[in-house]
Amino acid sequence: MNTSNSGSHGHDLTVIDVIDETSDARSIVFRTPLEHREQFTYLPGQFLTLRIPSERTGHVARSYSLSSAPDIDDDLKVTVKRTVAGYGSNWLCDNILPGDTVTVLPPSGRFTPGRYTNDLLLFAAGSGITPVMSILKTALFRSDCQVALFYANRSRDAVIFRSELDGYLDKFRDRLTVRYWFDDAEGFPSSEIIEQVAVRHARAEALFCGPAPFMSTVASGLRGAGVPAERQHMEVFSSISGDPFTAPILTVDDSAETIDTEVRLDGDTHRFDWPVNGTLVDVLLSRGVEVPYSCRSGECGSCACTVVSGSVVMEKSDILSAEDIADGYVLGCQSRPVSGPIEIEF
């Protein structure tokens, strides 16, 4: 089966393995061609966007977190859990096989620790374990920090990566603790339970991922424990509604008013006049700059960058937290210039 699309800015990857994790979750392992290894360098906690066939629309884009860890696992692995009305997850679980080719966008996402100098307190529910697993493995194999995981599921049978986690508990018994929580036996975890866990790890960096109600509960519990906002990291994840696999049609008007702009990206500095009616991503693409982007609709966070000086306006910023915005982060695909000179850093 071939789900590739040579007209996109994605790359064709070959499926080399499909692993049944539970009755409703599968891991898909991709081999990255040597010529694309650099584009698929990733950070623990990031995700891939896959092009999935659709009889109604030709294809759809769906994003799934990487459960593999960079420089630890040889290949890319995403883990997909079925959802009742989820077209993409059901199609992948029903159809994908080793040897298939899938068009995949380079890794994206900002749910990743900046450093591993602090101990980590990880919260996951259901398939929210996927990016957390990548972070956990990196912390254990590439640092000496302590790692505590609180992992909630509806039942014991729903636990993804149980045998792998048990192996890490044995190998890193002096640095890793795991608290399994089963809704069918204990009910849903409360903010008070989360608070109790957080108090025992008061100086750790807290990262959490799962369904919205779970994340709201964790956030409440962390606040109750007095964990500072700068040590809380929540995965903000939304399905892509647009088509990132179709080459963009750029609409930059060179006759519009412009503002002097400097962009620092991958060690290079780009200076140009930024038209006030063009987004930063569109302007950079029109100039031949390989700016990171996926959806161009403010839904993935691939183009997040920092405004060092000057000011811009964003049309959509749901993927960014209030703390991100306060720190000067913007989405390049949603940002237009207001006043300058402007300095941007990716």
Side-chain angles (χ1 to χ4, degrees):
M1 182 181 300
N2 188 321
T3 70
S4 66
N5 176 19
S6 59
S8 76
H9 73 288
H11 300 283
D12 292 346
L13 304 185
T14 300
V15 176
I16 62 168
D17 198 6
V18 178
I19 304 165
D20 289 325
E21 303 287 359
T22 67
S23 62
D24 60 359
R26 307 182 91 188
S27 289
I28 302 169
V29 184
F30 294 102
R31 177 63 46 81
T32 308
L34 288 175
E35 63 269 25
H36 297 321
R37 286 291 172 92
E38 184 175 348
Q39 292 97 319
F40 282 89
T41 300
Y42 66 103
L43 298 172
Q46 291 191 306
F47 61 85
L48 297 179
T49 300
L50 280 56
R51 181 180 183 270
I52 299 171
S54 167
E55 292 183 1
R56 185 168 58 87
T57 61
H59 65 266
V60 296
R62 295 292 185 268
S63 298
Y64 298 100
S65 295
L66 286 151
S67 52
S68 55
D71 302 320
I72 297 170
D73 297 304
D74 292 333
D75 299 295
L76 302 171
K77 181 172 71 173
V78 298
T79 302
V80 180
K81 183 177 181 180
R82 291 183 189 271
T83 56
V84 174
Y87 174 79
S89 64
N90 282 285
W91 191 95
L92 290 170
C93 287
D94 289 337
N95 294 282
I96 209 73
L97 295 170
D100 289 346
T101 301
V102 182
T103 300
V104 181
L105 297 181
S108 299
R110 304 182 58 251
F111 180 64
T112 185
R115 298 183 300 275
Y116 290 86
T117 51
N118 294 331
D119 293 341
L120 295 184
L121 176 57
L122 309 175
F123 294 92
S127 60
I129 190 63
T130 305
V132 168
M133 193 67 172
S134 180
I135 294 167
L136 179 146
K137 285 192 285 188
T138 301
L140 292 176
F141 285 94
R142 295 292 181 262
S143 81
D144 58 3
C145 71
Q146 297 287 318
V147 181
L149 169 65
F150 181 97
Y151 183 18
N153 281 281
R154 64 179 182 269
S155 66
R156 291 181 180 274
D157 293 341
V159 176
I160 305 172
F161 309 129
R162 181 63 186 258
S163 61
E164 190 174 353
L165 283 169
D166 287 347
Y168 296 147
L169 280 168
D170 184 59
K171 182 179 180 66
F172 299 99
R173 62 186 64 187
D174 59 333
R175 293 176 48 216
L176 173 65
T177 59
V178 177
R179 167 68 160 99
Y180 291 106
W181 181 279
F182 304 116
D183 297 344
D184 61 353
E186 303 174 276
F188 294 106
S190 65
S191 59
E192 289 77 18
I193 293 294
I194 301 300
E195 181 177 341
Q196 292 170 18
V197 174
V199 165
R200 293 197 294 271
H201 304 276
R203 303 184 65 83
E205 294 280 329
L207 296 97
F208 48 109
C209 181
F214 174 79
M215 292 202 290
S216 177
T217 298
V218 173
S220 176
L222 293 176
R223 286 194 301 271
V227 178
E230 61 270 19
R231 285 199 277 113
Q232 298 184 34
H233 311 280
M234 178 175 67
E235 170 68 304
V236 181
F237 199 72
S238 62
S239 296
I240 294 175
S241 59
D243 181 8
F245 291 98
T246 300
I249 300 173
L250 304 177
T251 57
V252 178
D253 182 1
D254 292 334
S255 66
E257 177 188 351
T258 62
I259 294 178
D260 182 40
T261 300
E262 176 181 295
V263 171
R264 295 189 287 275
L265 170 64
D266 293 336
D268 294 325
T269 299
H270 307 274
R271 294 183 176 87
F272 55 92
D273 293 325
W274 184 356
V276 296
N277 61 353
T279 69
L280 181 61
V281 166
D282 281 0
V283 171
L284 288 171
L285 289 174
S286 71
R287 298 175 62 84
V289 178
E290 292 188 6
V291 59
Y293 79 97
S294 289
C295 67
R296 293 177 70 242
S297 56
E299 298 171 306
C300 73
S302 303
C303 60
C305 51
T306 306
V307 178
V308 179
S309 64
S311 64
V312 306
V313 62
M314 275 190 295
E315 294 181 5
K316 184 178 180 181
S317 60
D318 295 345
I319 199 73
L320 298 178
S321 68
E323 291 77 17
D324 289 334
I325 295 173
D327 289 339
Y329 283 101
V330 297
L331 299 175
C333 72
Q334 297 295 300
S335 297
R336 290 178 168 79
V338 174
S339 63
I342 296 173
E343 292 181 64
I344 301 282
E345 187 164 344
F346 279 88

